[in-house]
Amino acid sequence: MLKKVLVGNAYTAIDHHQIKFLPQALIEIDSSGVIDRVLEPTAPDYQAAYQAAQQAHLLEKVPADQVIFPGFVDLHVHAPQWPQAGLALDKPLAAWLNDYTFPLEAKYQDLDFARQVYHELVHELLAQGTTTVLFFGTIHPEANLVLGEESLHQGLRTLIGRVAMDNPDQTPAYYRDSSSQAAIVATETFIHQLNDLGKDNPLSPIPVITPRFVPSCTDATLAGLGRLARKYDLPVQSHVSESNWEHQYAIDRFGIHDAAVLDHFGLLTSRTVLAHATQLTPEDQALLRQRKTAIAHCPISNAYFGNGVLPVNDLLAAKNRVGLGTDISGGYSPSLYDNLRHAVALSQVRNDGISRDDEGIANSRISMVASFYLATVGGAEALNLPVGRIQAGKIADLQVVKDRFKRPTETAQERFERILYQTHRSEIMQVYTQGDQVYQA
Amino acid sequence: MLKKVLVGNAYTAIDHHQIKFLPQALIEIDSSGVIDRVLEPTAPDYQAAYQAAQQAHLLEKVPADQVIFPGFVDLHVHAPQWPQAGLALDKPLAAWLNDYTFPLEAKYQDLDFARQVYHELVHELLAQGTTTVLFFGTIHPEANLVLGEESLHQGLRTLIGRVAMDNPDQTPAYYRDSSSQAAIVATETFIHQLNDLGKDNPLSPIPVITPRFVPSCTDATLAGLGRLARKYDLPVQSHVSESNWEHQYAIDRFGIHDAAVLDHFGLLTSRTVLAHATQLTPEDQALLRQRKTAIAHCPISNAYFGNGVLPVNDLLAAKNRVGLGTDISGGYSPSLYDNLRHAVALSQVRNDGISRDDEGIANSRISMVASFYLATVGGAEALNLPVGRIQAGKIADLQVVKDRFKRPTETAQERFERILYQTHRSEIMQVYTQGDQVYQA
């Protein structure tokens, strides 16, 4: 039983070197929101399927000046930081945290404030073509539930973490778990509450074990969270070696690297996504690879706080799992388009160096195809979700994007690149999750 | 005699460290399109001026959710390359030039094609909040005149250069000046033709002496262009030390640096704007400073082709003249907003380094205020034009920008930063040149 059939020019990533162009593809979406078949005009069944869809009034034609992409997967968003996106980016990390971020996050004990911000944010992310988001919330279980409700209500696929942070040395008294036990109990309570939300809805938010980062947690909390991840078989998210400071902090406190600390506490799993990772050593990278732990590459944020450009090419070549994240508000932009462009441009700077005396690091360039792969397939695989591709068996999370310009002599590959370079929010015409339209320009 | 009075919240750069916030400023624009007075509510004349403007039906109120900025000045646009913006950015420079750029530029002997592209481009630039542009055209005088006509017709303030390129070693036979004499004659003819266009219109395009870059010109052409610049007292534009290759080319051919070659031929003047400059030595930078020659900083393009990040902070501190350029299509974006954001982010990468083993170059960070200064005052001063500030005596080239979000607790400085981080084309509501509205969303 079909729910909807889209027909139009579509692009989907094969791997990080190749895209597949599907001209006038017929995308059949079944009643559960899963792609049943993708037919190209050369397929024997195409005409019959087209006509059947038309007769059943299921056909939605995407105009020739628009293209269909998979919806984007954003692996790193601090939902509560949305009101300060674009602020304080010239501040050092400590000032950014203590003068801006912690005071703002503490405000989410006010549920009206939470409702207002999260309503706006969820809408904004959908409007940017993002269909799946891995969220950091705050320490407040209720505000995080509001985020879950807003996501479910507006049709955004989400994974949401209640942030744990109890180390008095690294967190302010007004915004901290009062004890390790309190952090674990609140996390476990939140898991149950979120699991009760929208139970049979395929977009029901998934709870995520979320130690803010190693510095903000005591050993007992890190250990307790590792146990919860195992007990409930849940995804895990945190930051890893984001900056020189964070990388050194773990060495000073534990005598081992940040990634190894997370591993020690059972937090490096095949369901873990770690943001930034710019300061990982090759050994750290190998550890993540071995654990099948994914990296959320946040190119804009890393420019401000990462003290380095992630070696995306090396990681992909070594088969580390990598996706893309906006890192609101360490990154100012809610758009993965902005981030995939920065991923390419910054990889060029890594390749070519920062000054006339600097030769850069050879083979660091990534292509726009690779960046698109990160924003779709990379993110989907990091979360072990069947999204990110326009392909039979994948969930129909899609975006339809307008090409404002006519360039009749371009190849399909060129058009793909140009659209990715030129798309902003105003070009995103429609967004679908689970086969349902959830945003229209 | 006033033509128009705008009232609203405005921002203008004082220098590269400070902006001035003008809450509910009354901007009086005289009949010639020049700002007569800027009154703040505390000014004794404010109420009387407000009422007079209202009674004369001259008052235009900018809503509280919008702000007024000076229009942006784009110091480097290759107009003919607009159709390929966003293409071929992963190609090496030689392939980019020979397989994409030169074949495209050669097409502008077709004036219908030129009309179509330039109509679209001029509209696009205005829609992005850009009010003044320094253009490279092609070698075809007629197509460049079409660009002038379109700019004048749509109300974009422009300076336009007919490109000279006659070195058979570095240019293709199908797209080259047939001789040095041909290059000089065509340039001189174009100067007269452009000067005849819209003679008494204050937006009449200004001709610019335009050797493409040192490699594409013979000595005789460089010398002849230097003579023309002097003879007609005209602005000059070219590229300088954009890449390792270009920097080394001048050394190999002349035994001196690229900047010194331009100087030798009389092409470094106080009316010269040179794009990129990423590979300049401190001595080269001092030479530009001495000649009052300006640099067009093109951050996006430089990431792809510049082999380094321009040391903007050092240049501003040394009092080099610097503005901002999109460098369509070495840069993919027609937006100076995209470029001012990249200018900040890439300055951070220069500051912090590209990898964990790289400490970067201290004091390279620029603030969003500095980047805004480059896009307004820096560009205006580079072109010696009285634009770029909201201030009595400056021409009323302005943009009105919408703030999509309500953030009631922000300071004016924070709001300024956030708007610059979040503005795209769809937020640009109105654009004025010479006091006339030339774009409306």
Side-chain angles (χ1 to χ4, degrees):
Chain A
M1 183 67 185
L2 296 182
K3 159 149 79 178
K4 183 173 293 173
V5 180
L6 288 182
V7 60
N9 294 322
Y11 292 92
T12 191
I14 297 171
D15 54 32
H16 64 275
H17 298 297
Q18 291 175 82
I19 47 158
K20 188 169 176 58
F21 174 54
L22 299 159
Q24 287 306 303
L26 207 62
I27 304 170
E28 293 183 339
I29 302 169
D30 73 17
S31 59
S32 72
V34 172
I35 297 173
D36 195 46
R37 294 192 298 181
V38 179
L39 296 176
E40 293 184 69
T42 50
D45 294 351
Y46 186 89
Q47 283 306 330
Y50 189 102
Q51 280 161 21
Q54 203 159 32
Q55 278 162 19
H57 302 290
L58 296 177
L59 196 67
E60 294 188 10
K61 292 186 195 177
V62 173
D65 66 346
Q66 300 180 16
V67 301
I68 309 168
F69 291 144
F72 286 159
V73 179
D74 190 336
L75 290 182
H76 192 47
V77 175
H78 289 272
Q81 296 174 18
W82 168 235
Q84 71 177 16
L87 293 192
L89 291 171
D90 54 349
K91 303 282 188 285
L93 182 63
W96 183 82
L97 279 173
N98 293 310
D99 300 343
Y100 283 82
T101 304
F102 289 150
L104 174 58
E105 291 198 14
K107 287 174 73 174
Y108 288 76
Q109 63 187 72
D110 174 350
L111 293 186
D112 290 338
F113 181 70
R115 175 79 59 190
Q116 188 189 322
V117 172
Y118 290 157
H119 178 82
E120 184 184 279
L121 172 62
V122 169
H123 178 77
E124 183 67 21
L125 291 167
L126 285 170
Q128 298 281 4
T130 297
T131 49
T132 298
V133 182
L134 177 56
F135 276 126
F136 272 63
T138 59
I139 66 173
H140 318 98
E142 300 78 10
N144 299 328
L145 284 176
V146 167
L147 177 59
E149 287 163 10
E150 278 297 332
S151 301
L152 196 57
H153 182 247
Q154 295 191 43
L156 180 67
R157 188 181 307 282
T158 55
L159 305 90
I160 301 176
R162 183 261 172 212
V163 174
M165 46 192 285
D166 71 325
N167 183 358
D169 291 346
Q170 295 289 334
T171 55
Y174 64 84
Y175 185 57
R176 153 197 316 159
D177 287 308
S178 58
S179 69
S180 173
Q181 202 197 352
I184 301 305
V185 168
T187 298
E188 195 159 11
T189 305
F190 175 69
I191 292 169
H192 294 300
Q193 288 174 322
L194 199 67
N195 279 336
D196 285 343
L197 194 68
K199 258 192 159 140
D200 301 318
N201 190 320
L203 291 175
S204 178
I206 299 167
V208 185
I209 301 300
T210 306
R212 188 178 192 101
F213 65 160
V214 165
S216 52
C217 296
T218 60
D219 292 19
T221 292
L222 292 168
L225 293 173
R227 278 193 299 273
L228 287 183
R230 249 188 330 278
K231 177 174 174 189
Y232 293 99
D233 186 22
L234 286 177
V236 176
Q237 65 182 338
S238 194
H239 303 76
V240 72
S241 294
E242 171 175 4
S243 60
N244 297 333
W245 177 84
E246 182 183 347
H247 189 73
Q248 191 57 41
Y249 176 92
I251 295 171
D252 293 344
R253 178 167 144 197
F254 294 97
I256 55 176
H257 285 189
D258 208 27
V261 174
L262 292 166
D263 192 45
H264 171 77
F265 290 111
L267 292 162
L268 282 201
T269 77
S270 62
R271 302 194 70 185
T272 301
V273 177
L274 299 178
H276 309 297
T278 45
Q279 303 298 318
L280 292 185
T281 63
E283 294 71 28
D284 298 334
Q285 294 168 357
L287 175 60
L288 265 57
R289 200 153 59 235
Q290 208 180 329
R291 298 285 182 265
K292 297 188 167 49
T293 289
I295 293 169
H297 177 34
C298 307
I300 294 180
S301 171
N302 291 348
Y304 290 91
F305 298 107
N307 305 139
V309 178
L310 190 75
V312 177
N313 249 359
D314 297 349
L315 290 164
L316 290 174
K319 300 204 187 302
N320 275 80
R321 302 168 87 187
V322 189
L324 218 53
T326 57
D327 190 23
I328 293 166
S329 70
Y332 57 79
S333 174
S335 159
L336 280 175
Y337 285 93
D338 276 341
N339 276 278
L340 58 78
R341 290 187 281 264
H342 273 80
V344 175
L346 292 167
S347 80
Q348 294 272 143
V349 174
R350 184 178 158 93
N351 195 83
D352 291 358
I354 52 175
S355 70
R356 54 190 309 275
D357 306 318
D358 176 8
E359 293 192 352
I361 300 169
N363 300 316
S364 290
R365 283 186 176 203
I366 67 167
S367 66
M368 192 47 103
V369 169
S371 213
F372 178 77
Y373 167 87
L374 297 179
T376 56
V377 178
E381 292 185 350
L383 297 173
N384 305 289
L385 288 174
V387 299
R389 291 183 194 269
I390 299 176
Q391 181 180 297
K394 299 296 180 187
I395 298 173
D397 287 5
L398 303 167
Q399 55 180 319
V400 177
V401 174
K402 185 167 182 176
D403 179 6
R404 290 199 294 123
F405 304 108
K406 281 202 181 70
R407 303 287 181 250
T409 61
E410 281 174 355
T411 65
Q413 169 86 31
E414 287 171 338
R415 190 180 189 207
F416 168 82
E417 281 188 34
R418 185 175 51 73
I419 290 175
L420 289 179
Y421 274 117
Q422 292 180 334
T423 296
H424 293 97
R425 188 185 193 278
S426 47
E427 280 75 64
I428 297 165
M429 307 313 291
Q430 260 115 39
V431 178
Y432 301 83
T433 53
Q434 206 83 29
D436 294 320
Q437 186 182 296
V438 291
Y439 172 80
Q440 180 162 34
Chain B
M1 183 70 186
L2 296 182
K3 159 149 77 179
K4 185 173 291 173
V5 180
L6 289 182
V7 61
N9 294 321
Y11 291 93
T12 190
I14 297 171
D15 54 32
H16 64 275
H17 298 297
Q18 290 175 81
I19 47 159
K20 187 167 175 59
F21 174 54
L22 299 159
Q24 288 305 305
L26 206 62
I27 304 171
E28 293 183 339
I29 302 169
D30 73 17
S31 58
S32 71
V34 172
I35 297 173
D36 195 46
R37 293 191 299 180
V38 179
L39 297 175
E40 293 184 70
T42 50
D45 294 351
Y46 186 88
Q47 282 306 330
Y50 189 102
Q51 281 161 21
Q54 204 159 31
Q55 279 162 18
H57 302 289
L58 296 176
L59 197 67
E60 294 188 10
K61 293 185 194 177
V62 173
D65 67 345
Q66 300 179 15
V67 301
I68 309 168
F69 290 145
F72 285 160
V73 179
D74 190 335
L75 290 182
H76 193 48
V77 175
H78 288 272
Q81 296 174 18
W82 169 236
Q84 70 176 15
L87 292 192
L89 291 171
D90 54 349
K91 303 282 188 285
L93 182 62
W96 183 82
L97 279 174
N98 293 311
D99 301 344
Y100 284 82
T101 304
F102 289 150
L104 174 57
E105 291 199 12
K107 287 176 72 175
Y108 288 77
Q109 61 187 73
D110 174 350
L111 294 186
D112 289 340
F113 181 70
R115 175 79 59 190
Q116 189 189 321
V117 172
Y118 291 157
H119 177 82
E120 184 183 278
L121 171 61
V122 169
H123 177 77
E124 183 67 21
L125 291 166
L126 286 170
Q128 298 280 5
T130 297
T131 48
T132 298
V133 182
L134 176 57
F135 276 126
F136 272 60
T138 59
I139 67 172
H140 317 99
E142 301 77 13
N144 299 329
L145 285 176
V146 168
L147 177 58
E149 287 162 11
E150 278 297 332
S151 301
L152 196 58
H153 183 246
Q154 295 190 43
L156 180 66
R157 188 180 306 282
T158 56
L159 305 90
I160 301 176
R162 184 260 171 211
V163 173
M165 45 192 286
D166 70 327
N167 182 358
D169 291 347
Q170 295 290 333
T171 55
Y174 64 84
Y175 185 57
R176 151 196 319 158
D177 287 307
S178 58
S179 68
S180 173
Q181 202 197 350
I184 302 304
V185 168
T187 299
E188 194 158 10
T189 305
F190 175 69
I191 293 168
H192 295 300
Q193 289 174 321
L194 198 68
N195 278 336
D196 285 343
L197 194 69
K199 258 190 159 145
D200 301 319
N201 190 321
L203 292 175
S204 178
I206 299 167
V208 185
I209 301 299
T210 307
R212 187 178 194 103
F213 64 161
V214 164
S216 52
C217 296
T218 59
D219 293 18
T221 292
L222 292 169
L225 293 173
R227 279 192 300 272
L228 286 183
R230 249 189 329 278
K231 177 174 172 188
Y232 294 100
D233 186 23
L234 287 177
V236 176
Q237 65 181 336
S238 194
H239 303 76
V240 72
S241 294
E242 171 174 6
S243 60
N244 297 333
W245 177 84
E246 182 183 346
H247 188 73
Q248 190 59 40
Y249 176 91
I251 295 170
D252 293 344
R253 178 167 144 198
F254 294 97
I256 55 175
H257 286 189
D258 209 26
V261 174
L262 291 166
D263 192 44
H264 171 76
F265 289 113
L267 291 161
L268 283 201
T269 76
S270 63
R271 302 194 70 184
T272 301
V273 177
L274 299 177
H276 310 297
T278 45
Q279 303 299 317
L280 293 184
T281 63
E283 294 71 29
D284 298 335
Q285 295 168 357
L287 176 60
L288 265 58
R289 200 154 57 234
Q290 210 180 328
R291 297 286 181 265
K292 297 189 168 50
T293 288
I295 293 170
H297 177 34
C298 307
I300 294 180
S301 172
N302 290 348
Y304 289 91
F305 298 108
N307 305 139
V309 178
L310 190 74
V312 177
N313 249 359
D314 296 349
L315 290 164
L316 289 174
K319 302 204 186 303
N320 275 80
R321 302 167 86 185
V322 189
L324 218 54
T326 58
D327 190 23
I328 294 166
S329 70
Y332 57 79
S333 174
S335 160
L336 279 176
Y337 285 93
D338 277 342
N339 276 279
L340 57 80
R341 290 187 281 264
H342 273 80
V344 174
L346 292 168
S347 80
Q348 294 270 145
V349 174
R350 184 178 158 93
N351 195 83
D352 290 358
I354 52 175
S355 71
R356 56 190 307 278
D357 307 318
D358 175 7
E359 294 191 352
I361 300 169
N363 300 316
S364 290
R365 284 184 177 204
I366 67 167
S367 66
M368 192 47 101
V369 169
S371 213
F372 178 77
Y373 168 87
L374 296 179
T376 55
V377 178
E381 292 185 350
L383 297 173
N384 305 289
L385 287 174
V387 299
R389 292 185 193 267
I390 299 175
Q391 182 179 297
K394 300 296 180 187
I395 298 173
D397 288 5
L398 303 167
Q399 54 179 320
V400 177
V401 174
K402 185 168 182 173
D403 179 6
R404 291 198 294 122
F405 304 108
K406 281 203 182 68
R407 302 287 181 250
T409 61
E410 281 175 354
T411 65
Q413 168 86 29
E414 287 171 338
R415 190 180 188 208
F416 167 83
E417 281 189 33
R418 185 175 52 72
I419 290 174
L420 289 179
Y421 274 116
Q422 293 180 332
T423 296
H424 293 96
R425 187 185 193 278
S426 47
E427 279 74 64
I428 297 166
M429 307 314 289
Q430 260 116 39
V431 178
Y432 300 83
T433 53
Q434 207 81 33
D436 294 321
Q437 186 182 296
V438 291
Y439 173 80
Q440 180 163 35

